[in-house]
Each structure stands twice: as C-alpha cells, then as structure tokens.
Amino acid sequence: MNPEERNIANALISGLANSPETPTREQVEGKARQIAAIFGYTGDIRNIVTEAMISVDTRMGAGVSLVDVAARHDDQWIHRREDVDWVYTEAYEEFLRNEGWPPQLIQSLADVTSRILGHLQDPLSEGTTWSRRGLVIGHVQSGKTANYTGLMARAADAGYKFIIVIAGIHNNLRKQTQQRIDEAFIGRSSDPDDRRNIGVSLLVPDYPHPATLTNVHDDFNKNTAARSGWKINDFSKPIILVIKKHVKTLEALYKWLKDLNAGRNDGLISDVPMLLIDDEADNASINTNREDLDPTRTNAMIRGILSLFRKSCYVGYTATPFANIFINPDAYDNDVREELFPRDFIYCLDAPTTYFGAEKVFLDEANSPYVKAIDDGENFIPWTHRRDDPVSELPLSLYRALDEFLVARAIRNLRGQTGQHCSMMVNVSRFVPVQKAVRDFLSLRARKISEAVRANYAMPEVISSRNIYMRGLRQAFDTEYTQAGFEWEQVKSALDDVFRNLHLYVINSKSDEVLDYSRYERDGIGLTVIAVGGLSLSRGLTVEGLTVSYMYRNTRMYDTLMQMGRWFGYRPGYEDLCRIHLAHDSVNWYAHIADASEELVQQVKRMRRDDLSPKDFGLYVMAHPDSLLITAANKMRSGEKVKFRQNFSGRILESYIVSTDRSVNDSNLALIEKCWRDGFGGLTPNDSGKGSIFRDVPVGRIEDFLFEFQAHSQFADRKADIVAYLRTLAERHPVGDVLLISPRGNKDKEPCKLNGQERQVTDFQGSAWRLNKDRVASRGDEGLGLSPEQRKEAEDIAKSDGKPTADRHYREIRNKPLLMIHSLDPQGDIPVKGPIAAFGVSFPPGHYDKEIEAVVNRVWLERMQGNPDDPDDEEDYDA
C-alpha cells in the first residue's frame, strides 16, 4: 500500500474496532468510500477493504505458560511497578498501528508480552545476583519477531539495560533482524553511512533512542562497538546487540565484556540487568562438524556470556515444541544444559486466527488443494545428487509450479495487489552450483513465457492457444484458479504486466545477490520474485508475499522440516492462491509433525492443570516417540545401538506400514473374526455408529490380539513397544475398549467381518504399503462409542482450548487404552489388492512417569529417515 492508502486503511480499521457486531463486506466498503472521500482519494479501494475485513476477523489467544510452581517468583510484579514510563512499549504499539495491525491483535500482543515479562525478574528487585531461564514456543513465520520485539520494549521500559538478540546462523537473517529492530525499537538506521531517524522515532517526538553496538552491515566485533558512538559504561539508555549464533562472534562478545570489567571485584557486571533472547533457539542444532557452528561450543559461549552478568535472563524462542534443549542433549555439556534449560517457564504462543499454518495446510482435509505432490523429482534432481552432478533439465512439475505462480501474480494484480510483493520459493538442493543451474533454467523458461505472453495476451483464444507456453498458463488456471473470481480472458490480458518487475535470485551465503524488498517499497513497486536457494531460504529469512513454494529435499528432521516451512505465515487477500509442491514423503511428515506439535502444546496445558513444571515437560518431550528420530540421528554417527526411554502417554500409535502379502492379511482377518466371535473374552458388542465396540476388554486380551497380529517387519519393533506400554499401564488401566471400524455398519457383510475403508496408495515398496500421512484411522474415530455426555465433555475441553473437537479430546475423556481394528481397501493403479488389515492403539494422557525402554540401530533410523542430507555437505553457511 502507498502512504495514502495506508492512512485510509488505518482510519477505517480504527473506525471498525469498536463495532458491536462484525460488519459485512458491503458495510466495510461503504465506510471505506466515506473515508476515501474525506481524504480526496479516488483510487482502487479493494485492498483497503480486504485489509479491514481481515483486521475485523483477526484474533489471537493469550497462549499458555508452564511455570516452576516450587520457585518463589512473583509474576505480578509488572503490575505493581507504578514508576514505569512505558515509552518504548507505547511507541512500538503506535508503530504496529501505523503498519496496519488490527487493534485487537496489538492488545493481544501487549497482554502476552506483559505475561512473559512477568515471568522474568523485576530488574529493580533486591538481591545482588539472580537469573531466570525460559522458552517461548511459537509457530513458523507467525510473528515471533514481533513478540520478542514487544518483550524487548517492555523489558527496556522496566529497567533492563543490556539486551542481546541472537538471530540465527546467517548474515542475511541477522541483517534482516537488525533492520526490523532498527525500525521498531531503536528508531534510527544503524547503517553508519545513513544514521537517519526511522520507524518508531518518526511517530514519537523526542524518542529516546537505545544504543546499538551492531549495525545492518556488521555483526558484533570490537571495532563495530567502538564505531557505534556508545560511551563505555553509559547505561542511561538500553544497549541492544543483534548477533549471529557463531562461535567467533560469541567469543568476541564474551572477551569484550570480560575486558570491560577487568579488575573490578570478581570481574562480573553487577548493576546491569541483562536480557538475552535466542531467536530460533534450534538454529545451531545442526549436527555438523563445522567448528564455527558446533552447537556444543555455541551453547557453551552463550552460557559464558550469561555468567558475566550478576543479573541475567535468558529466553529462547523456537517454532517447535521439539526444542533443541529437550531432544539434543549432546549439544550441551552438563553444566551448560543446566544453565540454559527453561527451568522457570515455558510459554506457548497462540497463532492468530488469520495464520496460514501447518494445521490448516496439512491437517484440515478441506484445504488439501493447497498441497501438490511432486512425482517426477527423482528423474531430474534426485535426493542423492552430488555437487558436480549436471542438471540437464528441470522436472515438469517445477515448470507447472512456475506457470501457477505467473497466473497467481496476474490474479493478485487483478485484485488490486500490484503494489504488494509476490514471491515463489524453490528449494531443491543444498549445493550452490545446482541452485545456480536451477535458476538459469527457470530464467530461460520465464523469458520464453514472457515472449509468448507479449505476442498473445491480446489475441483471441483460438490463436493464443496454439502457443505451447500459453497452453501451459491456461492449464494452470483451469486446474487451480477457476474459483479465484476472474475469467481466463481477464487473467490472460493481465499476464503481460506480471513480467514488468520479475526478478530471479539465488539466495545463499555465497551469493552477492541481495533480495531487498524495501528498496522497491520506497518506490511503491510490488516486486515479483523467484528465489532459488537452500539453507538461507529454510531458516528464518522472510520471503515476502510467498505464493507458490516448490521444495524437494530429503529430510525428516523435525526442526529442519518446520524451518523449511517458509510458506507458513499471513497471506491476506491471496491465501486461496497459495500452492505448495512437496514430495509425497514430505507431505506425510509435515502432517505428522503438525499433529505431534499440536499434541505437545496441549500437553503443556494438561501439565499446567496438574501443577507440573517445565522440567517435567522437558522429560516428556525427551521420551516422546518422535524425539527419538532426532536424538538417534545425533547419537548414531558411529553406528552403534542406542537405548532410549519412550513415553506414549496421550498418543495414538497406528500400523501405518502394512503388509500387502495376501497370506499375511488372510491370517490377520481370520484373527479379527475369531476374536470378534469370541467377544474378546465373552463380552457383548454394542453398535458404535461405524461398526462395533467392545467395552472394558481386559488388557491381557488386547495384548494377545496384538501378539498374534502379523505386522510388517518394518513395523514389528513399534508393535512390540505398543504391547510393552500396555503392560506398563496395566496396573492403572487394567481394561480398554476395542473398536471394530466398519463403515456402513455390519449390514453389508456376514457377521464378524469388517466393511472396507478406501485408502489411496501413494507409497508402495515391495510388500510394504505406507499409508498417507502415516494415519490409519479417520479423524474423529476415537469418539466412536462414547456416550453423549462424554462427547459433550470432550467438546467443552476443546472449547476451552479454543480448538475444534479432535481425537485427543476424545482420548482424554475415554481415559483408558483403545484398540481400533481396520480393514482397508487400497485404491489406485497399483498391484495391491485388498482387504488389508491394520490397527491402532491410543493411550490415555497424564502418565508422565510411565516409560519403556526402546533399543534402536542405524538400520531402524535409515528406515525411518531414509538417507537424509549430510549437514557437512551443506554449502549455504556463512564463511
């Protein structure tokens, strides 16, 4: 938006903020025309109206915190400090208003950052030495930077004098973070050659600029600090540093701080309350042999810096509950882990209602049009490619994604979004030469399409459709965007403008190409970008207006996958146009991760109700079955077997890898019939509405069934773990329920035989069929057989969570083990014939202390992860 449109939008949003009811679009349009007339504006108001509508609909919950209940800490101190002048906080909130943030979202952010600050120490509190340690769990691209900037502003107002932000491992991410903090907190450009006022200081007269010892060009070093103009030991205003998580940078800061206080008492900094914010707390979790990124050394240096201050607070920010501090003990020496562990609090942020995140993209079945499976990547850029492998051509799926992007940009322009950025991200290789080759192919293709469009966009369809590139664009429109509000002829006529500001970039630490959106914003130009890269694109760097993503990378590591999810974020006015191209395997893993991450956040809420501590949560995450993938990868570099503790409390484990062998399935189906006829020990079944349920079956009977059930060899070890966990819970839960899932009831078949459930086959190797999204049961199946009162109770719990009712809520109310038995009918052009027997077992939550021991080896790890990229091959690191 240009400044005039921004002013109108802000006035409109303010005017709607106190509406007693949610206004209709027509009402918003009418009010927008009135305000536009006052401003003398006669241009297009569609973007203004869209932003106002989103503002009206945007809400953000307060989140939930887990605190050490045994610690003596007053988290209400912030409300008792009547001496605080909230100058930085109020300036930041005014800055957000000016940026078009909805008033209710600014208030939510204020409430949340106040709560987080309350978990820190009052900087003016009595005592010569204190420390607080915490962790904030957010979502990828969901506004964590806005959150910790708000926390910094509040902390500075309250009296914190020295603030350090550790912003990832890349120069471009550190620079991006510095620029944001310059605008939102410092109020002055940190560019030594351009020290003009920007951001907050343009909105607040006599703004008290904090000092910064880093700038947009230079990370911290002794010379940068000297050039900053800061007088040593002048703490009249807060001091801020934005640094990389590099050993050399951390060592330089440690040495500088130590020299600063040499000869004073014990060399410690005594009267300067400090706050260290570790953004992307998992960024140095990459298990690499590169010295400057060695997580053990970086974490040790962070501890060293904290140890120089008598009064310190450390807050890690992470996009996943599978935080490094919980699941990667090898990245910390014992003392360091003790020092950085979030012993005092864990705070889970809620995502705003307009957030386009993993849950919406991968778990909401109605939104599956967002995700497109890549089925031809191995033929062109295989997962196992090497640095010097030639790239002879790109996958057709990548060219189709390019067509989608160009059509989507044309539609966004037709919606009045020409002044907004629009980007496509391509991440197919960790090797710089391959990234450049991909960019060159895409550049050539874009040029040919541009020439075709220029010659045909005004031509009748009968003529333009003769061109192969125009046919590709038409196919992208017909397949993806017929519901976008425009006819093909309108889109075709808008295609020529798409190429006016189209630029292709290779984004990595070795590249001299700088993706600088702000340079174009100053001229009111919406940049159209195709960004090709690897790690720099994966971790932290914001790709503005991301509309189409294409990622074909071999990884199943939780933190890496979630960080690669740059497509998550806010997509106002174009969410329906977004498309994400991934390998089948990645689609399954993203869905799995989204499910597991949400389950862990709910676990925080349960643990808070049960008066448990952050330490209890850390132990639970460490024993979580999915943490095993990460810890195992780190421990097994030498190839030995490793023992792990496993906790399945509150989890469902399903036979998502099933055997397609006919004799195996005939045997399993006969077992199901036998147990059914026997009533699982003489019990009488009831109708569940989707088959039959046997209630209160002795756990021993369930174990006997699982023992006889023939699982595929790739799932046999997990089946053994399920049986072992059932035995571990048997004292507390001697009985469980058995659901025989049979759509259409039992009327279509003879007694004691299951009706089939159709499932698409997308991953089939040998005799192993891996089910889509690693799920067997349909969502909601765990609610079958519950009484109306129980279902109502589950709905009430979900409502208190601010979530739709899900299986985890039914699991909590059932409060006993549940065995679900299925018969699957495979669909697709494949040699697999049904019926295929499968099962799942869910365990009640709350058994934090009940664990079993699992032994895994490299064969298991490779089966679960494939052969993931070797981090030491990654070329996209800063030198």
Side-chain angles (χ1 to χ4, degrees):
M1 283 190 178
N2 62 41
E4 189 178 16
E5 291 172 336
R6 167 57 58 209
N7 289 335
I8 297 169
N10 288 348
L12 178 59
I13 290 167
S14 295
L16 296 171
N18 298 317
S19 299
E21 295 180 355
T22 303
T24 65
R25 188 175 184 91
E26 290 72 25
Q27 290 171 327
V28 174
E29 284 178 355
K31 199 163 186 67
R33 289 193 187 93
Q34 292 173 5
I35 295 173
I38 294 170
F39 278 82
Y41 177 78
T42 57
D44 194 336
I45 64 168
R46 284 176 298 176
N47 275 339
I48 296 169
V49 171
T50 297
E51 181 156 331
M53 288 297 296
I54 291 167
S55 168
V56 164
D57 197 38
T58 301
R59 299 285 186 277
M60 183 173 70
V64 63
S65 60
L66 186 66
V67 301
D68 182 1
V69 291
R72 295 179 60 188
H73 177 74
D74 174 17
D75 61 7
Q76 298 300 305
W77 65 264
I78 186 172
H79 304 295
R80 285 190 269 277
R81 285 276 308 277
E82 296 179 359
D83 61 307
V84 180
D85 181 7
W86 299 104
V87 58
Y88 294 117
T89 300
E90 290 168 4
Y92 180 54
E93 291 174 0
E94 182 62 27
F95 172 77
L96 294 178
R97 269 189 290 276
N98 199 58
E99 290 285 295
W101 275 51
Q104 62 271 27
L105 198 56
I106 295 173
Q107 185 58 52
S108 297
L109 184 70
D111 294 341
V112 169
T113 52
S114 289
R115 287 191 181 95
I116 297 173
L117 182 62
H119 291 315
L120 304 185
Q121 191 75 19
D122 179 354
L124 302 188
S125 60
E126 295 180 5
T128 56
T129 304
W130 46 254
S131 66
R132 297 281 292 174
R133 304 291 181 257
L135 181 72
V136 178
I137 301 172
H139 308 264
V140 175
Q141 297 286 92
S142 68
K144 292 195 305 300
T145 304
N147 184 283
Y148 70 67
T149 304
L151 177 61
M152 282 165 41
R154 286 188 181 277
D157 285 329
Y160 279 87
K161 296 297 186 183
F162 201 86
I163 302 172
I164 301 169
V165 176
I166 302 178
I169 59 175
H170 288 97
N171 284 325
N172 51 16
L173 177 55
R174 194 209 69 80
K175 179 180 179 179
Q176 177 180 276
T177 305
Q178 179 82 54
Q179 288 172 327
R180 289 178 175 178
I181 290 174
D182 283 356
E183 273 197 304
F185 181 55
I186 296 168
R188 181 183 290 137
S189 170
S190 60
D191 185 341
D193 301 321
D194 183 21
R195 292 283 191 180
R196 58 195 168 84
N197 285 352
I198 59 173
V200 284
S201 67
L202 299 179
L203 305 170
V204 178
D206 302 320
Y207 183 76
H209 301 278
T212 176
L213 305 186
T214 54
N215 61 59
V216 289
H217 302 307
D218 299 313
D219 203 343
F220 179 85
N221 59 55
K222 197 173 180 179
N223 295 331
T224 310
R227 288 199 306 269
S228 69
W230 177 66
K231 303 289 191 298
I232 288 180
N233 287 331
D234 175 12
F235 294 104
S236 57
K237 292 176 183 175
I239 292 115
I240 174 83
L241 297 84
V242 182
I243 64 176
K244 284 201 309 293
K245 190 180 271 190
H246 269 210
V247 172
K248 288 177 184 173
T249 301
L250 294 166
E251 282 179 341
L253 178 56
Y254 174 82
K255 188 173 186 307
W256 182 79
L257 287 169
K258 198 169 178 60
D259 291 346
L260 211 61
N261 280 273
R264 300 187 184 185
N265 300 326
D266 49 7
L268 299 184
I269 303 169
S270 56
D271 294 320
V272 182
M274 78 91 78
L275 170 62
L276 194 154
I277 293 172
D278 189 356
D279 185 19
E280 305 295 359
D282 293 332
N283 256 348
S285 64
I286 304 163
N287 192 0
T288 173
N289 291 323
R290 294 170 187 260
E291 275 190 30
D292 210 32
L293 296 175
D294 175 14
T296 308
R297 291 184 63 195
T298 54
N299 289 321
M301 289 311 307
I302 291 171
R303 176 187 182 243
I305 290 167
L306 290 167
S307 71
L308 293 175
F309 290 82
R310 286 192 178 278
K311 302 175 180 179
S312 69
C313 288
Y314 169 87
V315 183
Y317 275 74
T318 173
T320 167
F322 291 94
N324 199 32
I325 191 77
F326 301 141
I327 52 82
N328 191 5
D330 287 353
Y332 304 83
D333 294 334
N334 288 339
D335 291 344
V336 175
R337 189 171 191 278
E338 187 69 26
E339 180 65 18
L340 299 186
F341 190 88
R343 61 178 184 264
D344 297 306
F345 71 91
I346 294 169
Y347 201 109
C348 292
L349 301 175
D350 284 346
T353 51
T354 48
Y355 175 63
F356 184 68
E359 194 170 356
K360 184 179 289 188
V361 174
F362 294 105
L363 297 184
D364 186 345
E365 302 297 332
N367 285 292
S368 57
Y370 293 125
V371 181
K372 304 295 169 186
I374 299 169
D375 54 13
D376 58 353
E378 282 300 290
N379 301 329
F380 298 91
I381 308 176
W383 275 346
T384 55
H385 71 272
R386 308 303 302 167
R387 185 180 197 278
D388 300 322
D389 288 351
V391 180
S392 56
E393 186 50 281
L394 299 185
L396 288 176
S397 58
L398 180 47
Y399 286 137
R400 284 197 294 270
L402 175 62
D403 289 338
E404 288 171 11
F405 175 63
L406 298 173
V407 171
R409 181 40 151 173
I411 294 171
R412 290 191 61 186
N413 288 350
L414 288 169
R415 290 178 178 179
Q417 298 173 15
T418 51
Q420 297 179 23
H421 305 306
C422 183
S423 302
M424 175 180 180
M425 182 188 78
V426 180
N427 186 344
V428 295
S429 178
R430 62 197 184 276
F431 300 117
V432 171
V434 178
Q435 294 169 11
K436 288 180 177 177
V438 170
R439 190 271 309 271
D440 291 344
F441 273 109
L442 288 173
S443 181
L444 178 62
R445 183 76 165 204
R447 182 164 58 81
K448 289 180 177 178
I449 296 173
S450 174
E451 292 168 354
V453 166
R454 189 145 298 155
N456 289 280
Y457 78 97
M459 292 290 184
E461 183 64 13
V462 67
I463 296 174
S464 63
S465 62
R466 295 172 188 166
N467 182 279
I468 186 172
Y469 300 111
M470 294 301 294
R471 287 202 301 273
L473 295 168
R474 174 66 190 266
Q475 184 179 4
F477 174 81
D478 288 342
T479 306
E480 303 296 334
Y481 298 128
T482 54
Q483 303 302 310
F486 299 95
E487 299 298 325
W488 166 245
E489 286 300 324
Q490 296 171 282
V491 174
K492 185 171 76 170
S493 65
L495 281 167
D496 191 44
D497 286 341
V498 167
F499 298 91
R500 191 161 295 163
N501 290 299
L502 175 65
H503 298 270
L504 286 90
Y505 295 87
V506 172
I507 306 298
N508 55 59
S509 57
K510 309 293 187 293
S511 172
D512 57 1
E513 300 176 27
V514 179
L515 179 50
D516 186 0
Y517 291 100
S518 60
R519 191 155 52 93
Y520 292 86
E521 285 169 5
R522 288 193 285 271
D523 298 324
I525 294 172
L527 193 57
T528 304
V529 169
I530 299 172
V532 181
L535 200 64
S536 287
L537 280 181
S538 301
R539 287 192 172 266
L541 188 69
T542 298
V543 181
E544 301 282 355
L546 183 58
T547 306
V548 174
S549 303
Y550 188 98
M551 190 186 87
Y552 192 75
R553 292 292 298 272
N554 183 21
T555 180
R556 291 183 187 170
M557 300 302 282
Y558 271 58
D559 61 335
T560 307
L561 269 178
M562 290 310 287
Q563 288 303 331
M564 283 182 172
R566 294 294 98 197
W567 45 80
F568 303 137
Y570 303 97
R571 307 286 178 257
Y574 64 97
E575 182 179 296
D576 61 314
L577 306 180
C578 293
R579 296 296 181 267
I580 303 162
H581 296 257
L582 296 165
H584 281 290
D585 213 30
S586 294
V587 174
N588 288 340
W589 273 97
Y590 271 112
H592 185 80
I593 291 166
D595 224 8
S597 297
E598 178 59 30
E599 182 261 320
L600 280 175
V601 170
Q602 297 308 314
Q603 193 70 26
V604 169
K605 296 181 179 180
R606 283 192 211 106
M607 286 186 160
R608 176 162 184 124
R609 289 201 296 263
D610 295 343
D611 283 338
L612 296 174
S613 70
K615 183 179 179 183
D616 295 310
F617 181 75
L619 291 171
Y620 180 81
V621 175
M622 197 177 298
H624 191 284
D626 295 313
S627 297
L628 183 58
L629 288 174
I630 305 169
T631 50
N634 290 331
K635 285 178 177 290
M636 282 186 191
R637 301 197 102 186
S638 56
E640 75 275 14
K641 286 186 177 182
V642 182
K643 292 181 180 179
F644 292 91
R645 305 300 298 172
Q646 293 277 269
N647 186 320
F648 300 147
S649 174
R651 299 277 296 158
I652 180 171
L653 287 91
E654 300 178 288
S655 60
Y656 61 89
I657 300 174
V658 293
S659 174
T660 59
D661 184 279
R662 191 66 265 148
S663 63
V664 167
N665 282 286
D666 288 344
S667 173
N668 286 335
L669 292 165
L671 170 67
I672 294 168
E673 183 177 352
K674 182 187 79 169
C675 292
W676 196 340
R677 289 186 185 281
D678 178 51
F680 284 89
L683 298 172
T684 303
N686 296 106
D687 184 13
S688 70
K690 191 179 175 183
S692 298
I693 180 170
F694 288 88
R695 292 190 174 90
D696 296 333
V697 178
V699 164
R701 291 279 180 177
I702 296 174
E703 287 178 20
D704 291 342
F705 172 85
L706 293 172
F707 184 76
E708 288 188 54
F709 189 98
Q710 296 181 41
H712 192 277
S713 59
Q714 293 188 22
F715 194 77
D717 50 357
R718 184 43 55 96
K719 188 188 86 165
D721 293 342
I722 293 169
V723 173
Y725 203 71
L726 274 170
R727 288 175 183 159
T728 301
L729 293 186
E731 188 175 330
R732 295 195 199 177
H733 295 286
V735 297
D737 290 346
V738 176
L739 274 171
L740 293 136
I741 308 290
S742 187
R744 306 176 302 282
N746 302 320
K747 299 171 186 173
D748 295 0
K749 287 203 172 186
E750 57 189 278
C752 302
K753 290 189 182 294
L754 294 171
N755 291 325
Q757 303 169 65
E758 292 185 354
R759 294 287 188 276
Q760 286 295 322
V761 179
T762 57
D763 188 345
F764 173 63
Q765 294 177 352
S767 63
W769 170 21
R770 184 166 187 159
L771 281 108
N772 193 35
K773 297 186 179 178
D774 293 351
R775 284 301 306 261
V776 179
S778 299
R779 299 194 182 280
D781 278 356
E782 290 190 62
L784 297 172
L786 293 178
S787 68
E789 294 77 19
Q790 287 176 309
R791 295 182 72 93
K792 173 69 167 58
E793 200 175 341
E795 289 164 8
D796 289 343
I797 293 174
K799 198 175 293 182
S800 71
D801 289 342
K803 299 281 184 180
T805 311
D807 285 304
R808 63 176 172 272
H809 301 116
Y810 297 134
R811 201 174 301 152
E812 185 169 349
I813 294 306
R814 188 181 296 274
N815 197 30
K816 57 182 143 177
L818 171 67
L819 168 65
M820 292 183 286
I821 300 172
H822 309 263
S823 175
L824 307 179
D825 285 343
Q827 304 292 304
D829 186 18
I830 34 85
V832 181
K833 303 299 179 187
I836 305 290
F839 73 88
V841 177
S842 73
F843 296 99
H847 300 290
Y848 314 115
D849 57 337
K850 293 295 184 182
E851 298 177 353
I852 60 168
E853 187 171 80
V855 180
V856 300
N857 57 23
R858 181 161 287 284
V859 174
W860 175 89
L861 183 67
E862 288 180 359
R863 189 169 72 233
M864 295 301 291
Q865 288 191 333
N867 290 297
D869 297 344
D870 184 346
D872 290 325
D873 285 341
E874 181 69 63
E875 297 187 344
D876 193 8
Y877 291 121
D878 294 317

